[in-house]
Structure formats: structure tokens, C-alpha cells
Amino acid sequence: MDELTKLKQELKNLNAEYAKIKDIPAEKRGEFGRELNAKKMALLDKIMKAEEAQFDAEVKPLDITAPCAPNEPLPELYSTLMGSRHPLMVELDRVIEIYKLMGFTAVESRQLDDEYHMFDSLNFAKEHPARDGYDTFRTEEGFIPPAHTSTMQNRVLNRFKHKLDEGKEIAVVVPGRVYRNEDVDATHEHTFYQCEGVYVSPDCNMGQMLGILREFFEKYYGQKLNIRTQPGYFPFTEPSLEFMIEKPKSLGGKKGDFLEMLGCGMIHPNVLKMAGIDPQKYHGFAWGGGIDRLVMLRYGLKDVRHFEAANLNFLRNFK
Ligand code: DAH
């Protein structure tokens, strides 16, 4: 039996002694207990030292005399341990950078939100079936991991409406992580990223919105694109559109291969009103779309599940 096992056995025997306390006459009980405790402390101390000794014996000592080549690339093990940024974060920075060049400010969304920002402030009527399209999760306290970055619209409008009084426009993008109660497959994830855009001024219009979106996608993919819209429905915009781009040849697309990239439209007057902006004086447009989808097209990825799988073989491709 090795030293450590012997000590642990001793400790077990000693612990059994504690059961005798109740049979010791009351006047001797105190002394008996104190002695037992002292023995136990000493034993625990010995066990700790024995465990440290065993650990030291198992760990190879560091050889500080080993030759060192500071300019050699690091061995594979180290480069793995050091890690790298997640591709979605790198791409999200690229997205924000393009919008910044167009004069937008970026504000990050929240990962826990509430009923008001998720639905009410976005003109979803109570009990309206449109709420079902945004099935997400809830905490026991009733908070909601947001199903879209539109939850930030009311906050953005409130926070920046002073700009309108100053004769400037509101121009904000909101990148963020969102959650949906999805059956996960190659094109659906329960966790993904979106980027929202919000623009308000006295006289903005749909043509400007389409111009901004075209500019964004052409910058992001580095080429001219054919775009198309079709009518959509969102309670928070009127009219609402789905914005599509034709998948470029260089990314494996054929003529007529249109992909829906985001939802957009003119901000509904009720949404402006709820943020204290007079819809008679100001107009706005907004859009929101998935970042994962954007990145998948850029890199020809077929399965969205890669992004959340924490698979190093996948992630290393983006170092
Ligand atoms: N939030 C919508 C979604 O996730 C997308 C969207 C549509 C955002 C229209 C907008 C908008 O800002 O105006 O399906």
C-alpha cells in the first residue's frame, strides 16, 4: 500500500472514532473531541503533502536548458491553444465598417430583452399571429432572448431622437446575437447573428433605402450585383419588403438565382410614435438580416451549424 492510501485509510478510521463521542461521559467529552480534532488536522496536513508529492512526481519538470529558436513558427499545439477570433466576429466587423463609411453609428443589441421591446414597441398587436413567427425562449422571470435585432429599434429611436431636433438624421446599425426556437438543420440555427439598420429624417424615402442596401451588398461582396425586392409583411414597417440579391457567378450562382438577404421597409408610424417621434414630421426606414447567411454565401459554406459547433478543423480555415 502506498503512503497516500495508508494515510487515507487512517483518516477513515479516525472519522469512525467520532461516533464514540456520544458514549463518553460528559465531563471528558470536550477533551476527547479536542484530541480527535488535533489528530485529524495533522493527518489532513500529511495527506495534502503526500498528494502534492504524487502530483510533482507525475509532472515532467521543465527543461530550461532546452535549445530555443525564437524565430521558428510556433509548434501546432501552441498555435491551437492561442486560438483566433470567430469568423462571424471578423465578418461582423467588416459589415460594421462598411456601414460606418456610409455614416452609420453602431450600437450593440442585448442578449436578454423583454416583451415590450420584442413585440409591443414594434406594433405587434396583443395575440396577433405575427408573434408566432418569432418563437424564441423565455427565462422563468419572463425575459426573452431576442428573436431579432429589431428589439433595439425603440431604444435607438429614443436615444438618438435629439439629433432630429438638431437638424441631423438618425443613422444607426445594430449588430447582435439572436435566438429562435428552431428545428436545427443545415440552414436553421437556434442561435445566430443579425444586423439591423435604422434611419430617420424629415424626408427620407424607399429609394434611398434601396440605394444604401445595394451599396452595402456590393461593398461586402466586392462586385456589382443585381437586386430585386418583393412585398413582405412585418408589423413594424409599412410598406414592407424582402430584399434579394442575384447570387453572383463567382460565388456559384446562375442567372435568376435570387436569394433573400433581409427584410426592410418604411418604419410604421406607430413605431415612431411609441418612441416619441412625430410621424407627421419625420419618416424612417429600417432593415434587418442574418449575418450567418451573408458569410455563408461569401465563403461557399453549405451548413450553418459549423458556426456554433466549436469545431477547430472548421475554425482554423479562417485564421
Ligand atoms: N426583424 C425581421 C426578422 O428578423 C427583419 C426586419 C424586417 C427588420 C423589416 C427590419 C425591418 O428592421 O424593417 O425577420
Side-chain angles (χ1 to χ4, degrees):
M1 211 192 293
D2 69 6
E3 180 67 11
L4 188 58
T5 320
K6 230 163 44 192
L7 289 169
K8 283 190 175 165
Q9 186 57 49
E10 262 178 60
L11 180 65
K12 220 168 158 187
N13 298 341
L14 190 70
N15 280 339
E17 294 282 301
Y18 281 86
K20 291 185 190 156
I21 291 184
K22 63 180 185 325
D23 304 324
I24 306 277
E27 66 277 11
K28 297 218 168 135
R29 220 175 267 162
E31 199 192 326
F32 181 81
R34 271 190 295 278
E35 253 174 47
L36 220 50
N37 281 344
K39 274 190 204 161
K40 186 168 175 172
M41 294 310 286
L43 202 52
L44 285 174
D45 195 48
K46 277 190 197 164
I47 289 178
M48 199 175 75
K49 289 201 174 106
E51 277 177 342
E52 275 174 12
Q54 192 177 63
F55 179 79
D56 286 348
E58 283 166 8
V59 173
K60 273 203 218 117
L62 178 68
D63 179 6
I64 54 165
T65 65
C68 164
N71 295 320
E72 287 290 303
L74 288 170
E76 177 65 10
L77 174 68
Y78 293 131
S79 60
T80 304
L81 286 177
M82 279 206 275
S84 58
R85 293 189 72 208
H86 192 281
L88 284 178
M89 296 300 102
V90 175
E91 295 301 312
L92 206 48
D93 275 358
R94 213 189 284 262
V95 167
I96 294 166
E97 204 47 46
I98 297 172
Y99 283 122
K100 274 192 181 165
L101 287 173
M102 290 197 264
F104 285 82
T105 304
V107 173
E108 204 177 0
S109 79
R110 301 186 174 198
Q111 296 198 42
L112 262 194
D113 219 312
D114 56 23
E115 187 85 20
Y116 177 73
H117 291 92
M118 181 62 218
F119 294 117
D120 301 69
S121 72
L122 288 166
N123 196 38
F124 282 85
K126 292 253 183 273
E127 315 291 330
H128 194 283
R131 293 190 180 216
D132 294 347
Y134 298 89
D135 186 15
T136 175
F137 309 96
R138 259 165 220 265
T139 69
E140 284 167 4
E141 298 83 359
F143 290 114
I144 304 177
H148 54 176
T149 42
S150 304
T151 45
M152 291 296 288
Q153 282 200 16
N154 181 267
R155 290 196 186 91
V156 162
L157 294 173
N158 264 313
R159 174 160 155 202
F160 292 98
K161 64 185 172 196
H162 65 90
K163 291 198 160 216
L164 299 173
D165 299 329
E166 294 159 13
K168 297 183 195 137
E169 66 284 351
I170 299 177
V172 177
V173 286
V174 189
R177 200 177 200 189
V178 295
Y179 305 88
R180 297 223 181 151
N181 183 10
E182 291 279 8
D183 285 331
V184 173
D185 63 23
T187 54
H188 296 90
E189 251 296 4
H190 51 69
T191 303
F192 56 103
Y193 288 81
Q194 282 191 333
C195 187
E196 190 86 3
V198 179
Y199 188 94
V200 181
S201 77
D203 55 3
C204 65
N205 60 51
M206 200 98 118
Q208 291 170 340
M209 176 179 80
L210 297 179
I212 289 173
L213 293 176
R214 171 195 284 281
E215 178 73 9
F216 168 76
F217 283 100
E218 291 188 345
K219 280 249 160 58
Y220 183 75
Y221 290 115
Q223 58 189 295
K224 290 269 164 227
L225 294 169
N226 290 327
I227 63 170
R228 178 188 277 182
T229 58
Q230 63 186 27
Y233 171 73
F234 304 101
F236 35 100
T237 40
E238 179 57 35
S240 305
L241 297 177
E242 283 166 4
F243 183 92
M244 304 158 103
I245 63 169
E246 193 177 33
K247 191 171 172 182
K249 257 210 209 103
S250 64
L251 299 174
K254 292 193 295 284
K255 196 144 190 59
D257 226 357
F258 278 89
L259 301 171
E260 190 205 322
M261 298 309 283
L262 50 79
C264 57
M266 300 304 291
I267 300 178
H268 196 289
N270 287 347
V271 174
L272 293 175
K273 255 192 257 171
M274 269 183 276
I277 295 175
D278 182 355
Q280 304 290 343
K281 278 168 68 182
Y282 298 103
H283 300 288
F285 48 78
W287 65 90
I291 298 299
D292 304 50
R293 203 184 311 172
L294 192 78
V295 176
M296 282 169 77
L297 177 58
R298 182 179 179 129
Y299 292 102
L301 305 175
K302 296 276 181 289
D303 197 326
V304 70
R305 289 170 291 195
H306 284 308
F307 290 132
E308 296 289 328
N311 175 353
L312 288 179
N313 285 336
F314 169 76
L315 296 172
R316 280 200 196 111
N317 292 311
F318 296 88
K319 278 187 119 174

